[in-house]
Amino acid sequence: MQRNVQRVWISKQAHDRLQRELATLRRWCLAAIDGADEDRADDIHRWQARIQEIHDLLVDVTVGQDPPDDGIAEPGMVLTIRYDDTGEVETFLLGLRGTEPGDLEVYSVQSPLGAALEGARPGERRTYAMPNGAQLTVTLLRAVPYGMHTGAA
């Protein structure tokens, strides 16, 4: 059976942070299991669930390889959008939720907004449905690779 998995993008810093967390959780689990500490059963179960979650996140990731600087919205790009109904402007990373690099909000391509914007070019308007059913229209103002977003104005 072939897996149909979309590769996702995360920053090198986020990847390193997840690797460190994974190593720490594994050490904690092994120490608790080796110590046969039955009082830690809930902790062990929670740690094992997080270990699996991190493992699943890291299976199909592209780490820190910036996409081409072609202005097209895709994972690894920092997008600046305008909400057409309010004029509000937002900048965020299109990447993997749960791996926020600290300086930006992250939306995944599985989110309604991320899915709507994937493949958009500057100036394109895209509409997406909110969880409550409301339709929002946004305009992509710019898309730059994550590694270049701080120097771009």
Side-chain angles (χ1 to χ4, degrees):
M1 180 178 189
Q2 184 177 358
R3 287 176 24 173
N4 184 14
V5 177
Q6 180 177 8
R7 294 185 62 80
V8 294
W9 184 95
I10 63 172
S11 69
K12 172 82 167 96
Q13 299 87 345
H15 183 265
D16 292 348
R17 188 171 52 249
L18 286 170
Q19 290 287 7
R20 286 191 304 273
E21 181 183 356
L22 186 59
T24 298
L25 289 169
R26 285 180 173 154
R27 279 195 310 276
W28 290 351
C29 272
L30 289 175
I33 291 169
D34 287 347
D37 188 350
E38 293 179 21
D39 294 336
R40 305 294 307 256
D42 287 342
D43 289 336
I44 293 169
H45 180 70
R46 197 170 55 255
W47 296 335
Q48 288 173 333
R50 178 62 178 153
I51 287 168
Q52 186 62 52
E53 180 182 15
I54 293 171
H55 178 267
D56 291 348
L57 286 173
L58 296 177
V59 167
D60 288 299
V61 296
T62 298
V63 180
Q65 290 180 333
D66 285 339
D69 187 12
D70 56 8
I72 298 173
E74 63 182 295
M77 299 293 271
V78 175
L79 309 182
T80 301
I81 63 166
R82 180 183 60 243
Y83 292 92
D84 291 353
D85 61 337
T86 65
E88 180 183 340
V89 174
E90 181 179 14
T91 299
F92 60 88
L93 172 64
L94 192 58
L96 179 63
R97 293 282 304 168
T99 62
E100 287 78 6
D103 60 337
L104 289 170
E105 180 71 32
V106 177
Y107 290 93
S108 77
V109 292
Q110 288 80 32
S111 71
L113 178 58
L117 287 167
E118 188 172 28
R121 295 177 183 277
E124 280 188 43
R125 295 176 68 199
R126 299 285 177 96
T127 300
Y128 68 100
M130 298 288 294
N132 66 5
Q135 298 285 311
L136 289 180
T137 300
V138 297
T139 300
L140 180 64
L141 301 177
R142 60 191 287 258
V144 296
Y146 175 75
M148 299 174 65
H149 79 282
T150 55

